[in-house]
Amino acid sequence: MSLQADTPAPPAARVHRFSRAERWVHRTTAALMGLCVATAAVLYIPQLAIMVGRRELVVRVHECAGLALPVPVLLGLASRAFRADLRFLNRFGPHDRTWLWAAVSRDKRRSSRPAGKFNAGQKVYAAWIAGATLVMLGTGLMMWFTHLTPLMWRTSATFVHDWLALTIGVVLAGHIGMALGDPEARRGLRTGRVSQEWAKREHPLWRP
């Protein structure tokens, strides 16, 4: 009798991938980002605004969630495992270029997509979302504290903030879609462990 694809592997066949601190950072950041996106949708989509009401409260929740967004990452720096993963995410090697070329050319062969602990797509996503978060925080502060900057700056900040928010929503939808298609990756973020078979197949250059 064969095990189903979504059945967890036995404990002996599983390897450690993420520490408790790393999982906490991911969950908290995801919750805050989700809150920012949800409140932004209520503020900018008239149908949702009418349905929810209480615009002033929604604005305050959006602002507080946005200000708190960098906090989990800053607290996570106290974890050695988290700092090590940041170094992995910040380094691109020849195998990452190979992975990106295979992704662009739609080459789905596993041998064409070598990856360490994080593949090149995950590295690009992490860098992009980190930069986008900082831009959103900066433009949001300019929109919040209107007396600190000239009108032209505030107008430009509003334009950048609104369109980047839309882009973040699209990118997050893609990120969630990829996660939904990989139960073992989700299990790794939930429990901290993944199957050896998955690790060798998806991240062959990773040595846990």
Side-chain angles (χ1 to χ4, degrees):
M1 178 178 177
S2 61
L3 293 174
Q4 295 181 356
D6 201 32
T7 302
R14 303 188 70 77
V15 294
H16 179 76
R17 183 163 173 80
F18 295 117
S19 67
R20 182 178 297 180
E22 291 172 291
R23 302 197 306 274
W24 177 87
V25 169
H26 185 270
R27 291 170 185 170
T28 309
T29 302
L32 289 170
M33 183 66 77
L35 194 56
C36 286
V37 171
T39 51
V42 172
L43 292 172
Y44 287 99
I45 300 176
Q47 293 83 352
L48 290 178
I50 293 172
M51 186 186 307
V52 176
R54 306 196 65 174
R55 182 178 178 85
E56 189 65 26
L57 176 61
V58 175
V59 170
R60 291 292 169 259
V61 172
H62 183 78
E63 291 170 342
C64 291
L67 286 175
L69 198 52
V71 173
V73 173
L74 294 176
L75 293 178
L77 293 175
S79 165
R80 181 181 300 177
F82 183 69
R83 295 196 304 272
D85 274 358
L86 288 181
R87 287 193 290 271
F88 286 135
L89 285 168
N90 198 39
R91 292 176 181 171
F92 270 74
H95 62 281
D96 292 311
R97 289 190 287 273
T98 302
W99 192 100
L100 287 174
W101 176 251
V104 170
S105 60
R106 298 182 181 276
D107 185 349
K108 297 184 178 181
R109 293 176 299 170
R110 296 294 178 187
S111 59
S112 301
R113 299 196 179 194
K117 185 172 184 179
F118 302 102
N119 63 45
Q122 291 168 328
K123 293 179 180 181
V124 169
Y125 170 79
W128 187 88
I129 201 68
T133 298
L134 292 176
V135 172
M136 291 295 285
L137 181 60
T139 54
L141 288 173
M142 278 191 264
M143 294 163 61
W144 191 359
F145 299 101
T146 56
H147 62 285
L148 296 180
T149 54
L151 176 60
M152 183 177 294
W153 288 22
R154 297 197 303 272
T155 303
S156 301
T158 302
F159 178 84
V160 172
H161 197 88
D162 291 351
W163 282 101
L164 186 55
L166 178 60
T167 307
I168 288 174
V170 173
V171 172
L172 283 178
H175 179 68
I176 294 170
M178 294 289 290
L180 291 176
D182 194 339
E184 191 63 25
R186 297 200 311 273
R187 189 175 293 117
L189 282 170
R190 189 172 65 252
T191 67
R193 294 183 175 275
V194 295
S195 68
Q196 290 182 357
E197 180 184 357
W198 180 88
K200 291 177 181 178
R201 183 180 71 247
E202 300 293 336
H203 301 271
L205 302 181
W206 176 40
R207 295 293 184 266

